[in-house]
Amino acid sequence: MSNKRDINGVVQLLGMLGIIISLIFVGLEMRQSQRIAIAGQYQARAAMNAATIQAAIEAGIDFSAQSGLSKSNLSLEEQVQQRNFTNLAYTRIENDFYQYQQKLIDEETWEKKLFSIRSWYKNCDLRGVWEQRSQFFTNDLIDLIKSEEVEC
């Protein structure tokens, strides 16, 4: 009888160890899946940014200067292009904010993106685009962008 209890105890112990090892394995797999998902998100953002810059190159537009240009320096066609780029920027901003909330963007990267976001908002010539697009943003995003209010 004692032998049977010992065997039963060993079997239970082995079963518990098996469950613990399985849980550890599942945890490691989940961590790896999360890292792959985050890497995929970074790759998608890089591809989107590259496509945007390529479109600017093809249109003969200085992409880097788009958020800082004054309307008075631009032709009507350039103003239209600038508004289009601004709309695209706000689309990216909304997506980046959601990904930041979901922990798919780290804090350092987000701080740099937030600086860019506020640069678009501070351009008074482009404030009409903000007014149009912000009605579709979450209150958290609006409050974050407007935390550095600029009079236009």
Side-chain angles (χ1 to χ4, degrees):
M1 195 72 150
S2 171
N3 219 5
K4 190 173 183 180
R5 273 192 209 163
D6 290 342
I7 291 173
N8 194 18
V10 169
V11 169
Q12 286 181 356
L13 180 62
L14 289 175
M16 287 178 14
L17 285 174
I19 290 172
I20 291 171
I21 291 171
S22 295
L23 289 173
I24 290 171
F25 179 75
V26 168
L28 292 173
E29 287 291 315
M30 288 176 65
R31 181 187 290 176
Q32 183 179 17
S33 294
Q34 181 186 24
R35 286 182 181 155
I36 290 169
I38 290 171
Q41 291 298 322
Y42 273 95
Q43 176 60 35
R45 282 192 296 277
M48 183 174 55
N49 287 335
T52 302
I53 293 168
Q54 183 62 36
I57 291 168
E58 291 171 2
I61 298 168
D62 180 357
F63 178 79
S64 296
Q66 285 303 307
S67 67
L69 294 175
S70 170
K71 255 195 319 197
S72 61
N73 300 336
L74 302 175
S75 69
L76 183 59
E77 180 182 345
E78 289 170 327
Q79 289 177 37
V80 168
Q81 291 169 340
Q82 186 183 44
R83 283 192 306 273
N84 288 338
F85 274 115
T86 304
N87 270 298
L88 180 60
Y90 280 126
T91 299
R92 265 197 333 260
I93 287 163
E94 187 176 23
N95 181 49
D96 287 344
F97 182 65
Y98 175 76
Q99 290 186 25
Y100 170 70
Q101 288 180 315
Q102 300 305 310
K103 308 289 188 230
L104 295 172
I105 296 177
D106 62 77
E107 195 67 37
E108 180 182 357
T109 301
W110 173 248
E111 287 300 320
K112 291 176 183 179
K113 288 183 172 294
L114 186 56
F115 177 80
S116 172
I117 292 166
R118 288 182 174 143
S119 295
W120 285 98
Y121 177 71
K122 288 177 182 178
N123 186 327
C124 293
D125 288 335
L126 300 172
R127 190 55 62 91
V129 177
W130 161 260
E131 297 299 333
Q132 179 185 27
R133 293 299 305 278
S134 65
Q135 63 185 327
F136 303 108
F137 294 162
T138 64
N139 289 334
D140 289 346
L141 178 57
I142 292 169
D143 292 344
L144 183 66
I145 293 171
K146 291 178 77 173
S147 65
E148 292 184 15
E149 189 62 44
V150 176
E151 292 295 321
C152 288

